[in-house]
C-alpha cells in the first residue's frame, strides 16, 4: 500500500482521463465560458443553440449584433480555447 495518499482531485482527474471524458466535460462548460467572455450584455443578445463536432451554433437577436460577433469570431474562438485549455471549438456559426 502506498504511504502517500493521493488527493481526491488527482484521483478524479485520472478517472476522467482514463475514461476519455475530458471532451464531454469541457463541452458542457462552454455555456459558462461563453457567458464569461461576453458578460451580462451577451446574455441579452445571444444564446447557445447547440455544440456539435467542434461547431458552436449561436442564436443572435439582431443583425447588427450578429455582424459584430461575426467580426470577432477568431477572437471569441481563441478566448474559448484559452478557457477550455485546448481547441475544442473550431467554428462559431451565428444565426
Amino acid at each position: 500500500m502506498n504511504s502517500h495518499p493521493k488527493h481526491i482531485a488527482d484521483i478524479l482527474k485520472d478517472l476522467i482521463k482514463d475514461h476519455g471524458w475530458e471532451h464531454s466535460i469541457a463541452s458542457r462548460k462552454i455555456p459558462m465560458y461563453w457567458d464569461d467572455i461576453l458578460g451580462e450584455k451577451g446574455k441579452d443578445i445571444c444564446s447557445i443553440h447547440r455544440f456539435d463536432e467542434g461547431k458552436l451554433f449561436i442564436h443572435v437577436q439582431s443583425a447588427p449584433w450578429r455582424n459584430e460577433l461575426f467580426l470577432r469570431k477568431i477572437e471569441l474562438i481563441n478566448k474559448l480555447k484559452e478557457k477550455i485549455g485546448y481547441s475544442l471549438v473550431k467554428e462559431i456559426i451565428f444565426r
Side-chain angles (χ1 to χ4, degrees):
M1 184 169 188
N2 190 350
S3 62
H4 302 287
K6 263 184 136 175
H7 193 276
I8 189 72
D10 295 328
I11 293 170
L12 288 173
K13 285 179 188 176
D14 291 344
L15 179 69
I16 289 167
K17 184 177 180 184
D18 291 347
H19 285 83
W21 295 334
E22 301 103 328
H23 178 79
S24 178
I25 291 170
S27 67
R28 287 177 182 15
K29 292 181 179 181
I30 290 173
M32 177 182 68
Y33 296 144
W34 184 256
D35 288 347
D36 286 348
I37 292 167
L38 290 186
E40 287 300 315
K41 186 179 276 189
K43 292 178 184 179
D44 294 335
I45 61 167
C46 65
S47 59
I48 294 176
H49 179 65
R50 74 177 194 271
F51 177 72
D52 188 26
E53 296 184 21
K55 295 179 183 177
L56 182 59
F57 294 84
I58 304 291
H59 175 72
V60 185
Q61 298 292 333
S62 69
W65 274 112
R66 189 172 26 253
N67 289 336
E68 172 70 24
L69 293 172
F70 180 81
L71 292 173
R72 295 180 53 201
K73 185 190 302 196
I74 300 298
E75 172 194 346
L76 295 169
I77 290 172
N78 287 334
K79 285 185 177 186
L80 284 168
K81 178 181 177 182
E82 186 178 298
K83 288 197 173 279
I84 294 167
Y86 66 100
S87 187
L88 178 63
V89 177
K90 310 282 189 214
E91 178 70 29
I92 301 176
I93 298 166
F94 299 104
R95 295 190 172 164

